[in-house]
Amino acid sequence: MEISNIESFLSYYESVRKRTTRVLETIPPDKLEWTPTPGFFTFGDAIRHIAAIERYMFAENVSGNWSRYPGHGRELADGYDEVVRFFHTKHHETIEILRRLTPEDLRTECTTPAGTKLAKWKWLRAMVEHEIHHRGQMYLMLNLCGVERPRLYGLTSEEVLERSQSGA
């Protein structure tokens, strides 16, 4: 589905971000740099990655610039409060950049880090998919830590199954 209006896209993206933020808020501060296996993102890595790639890759690319992605290391933000602040600050910066895009801009192409030419609206759609991917990763990691996860869409799958079987 083509994105033709930046304001409608931003409204949708903010709803995605609210669900991601609910997941982030359930991460125990003492688990911020926990990883389920060596070489896998920690919670902090995933949060820093979402923030940094949103701002320094996606926003830069749709602005006609080359990616300036700095990675996802602790040098960007260290400690729970700093990581959360980084997440929100980079998102705010990205939204301010995206808000400038006109319908005509959305139809023009940008160059991805892979060198692919892609309509800017498609690159923004990929940005949302990227965030959802990492949100799912953190959701699973919370389960591995024994942390109750927030409901993101209302009913659980078990509740949907129960209601489907009962006709309620």
Side-chain angles (χ1 to χ4, degrees):
M1 181 174 167
E2 183 175 341
I3 300 165
S4 59
N5 175 291
I6 197 62
E7 287 305 322
S8 64
F9 168 75
L10 292 176
S11 176
Y12 166 68
Y13 190 40
E14 290 298 345
S15 70
V16 170
R17 180 50 61 106
K18 284 179 185 174
R19 287 188 290 277
T20 302
T21 298
R22 285 204 309 267
V23 171
L24 185 146
E25 290 171 345
T26 63
I27 298 168
D30 67 326
K31 295 287 188 190
L32 183 67
E33 300 304 336
W34 175 84
T35 182
T37 186
F40 198 74
F41 273 8
T42 66
F43 286 110
D45 291 337
I47 297 164
R48 288 183 293 263
H49 175 69
I50 291 169
I53 213 153
E54 171 194 45
R55 171 59 188 86
Y56 297 114
M57 186 185 76
F58 287 106
E60 289 298 321
N61 292 160
V62 298
S63 296
N65 303 319
W66 191 246
S67 173
R68 297 186 306 128
Y69 176 61
H72 55 266
R74 292 171 85 166
E75 66 279 357
L76 297 174
D78 196 13
Y80 187 83
D81 292 338
E82 287 299 313
V83 169
V84 170
R85 186 176 301 110
F86 182 74
F87 179 77
H88 292 301
T89 299
K90 295 305 158 192
H91 180 66
H92 177 74
E93 291 174 12
T94 299
I95 295 304
E96 290 307 308
I97 291 167
L98 299 183
R99 198 174 303 283
R100 300 178 200 141
L101 296 173
T102 66
E104 295 77 29
D105 292 334
L106 292 168
R107 288 190 295 275
T108 63
E109 291 183 334
C110 63
T111 304
T112 71
T116 305
K117 300 274 188 196
L118 192 65
K120 290 177 182 178
W121 70 265
K122 288 183 179 180
W123 196 228
L124 291 176
R125 190 174 61 187
M127 178 178 71
V128 176
E129 292 174 13
H130 175 263
E131 178 167 326
I132 292 168
H133 159 75
H134 286 292
R135 182 176 71 209
Q137 174 188 12
M138 291 187 292
Y139 205 82
L140 174 63
M141 290 169 60
L142 286 168
N143 188 42
L144 293 173
C145 290
V147 175
E148 187 171 335
R149 281 94 46 228
R151 292 177 181 223
L152 299 180
Y153 301 104
L155 300 175
T156 65
S157 62
E158 294 80 11
E159 291 167 334
V160 171
L161 177 62
E162 180 184 318
R163 289 179 186 208
S164 298
Q165 293 173 343
S166 70

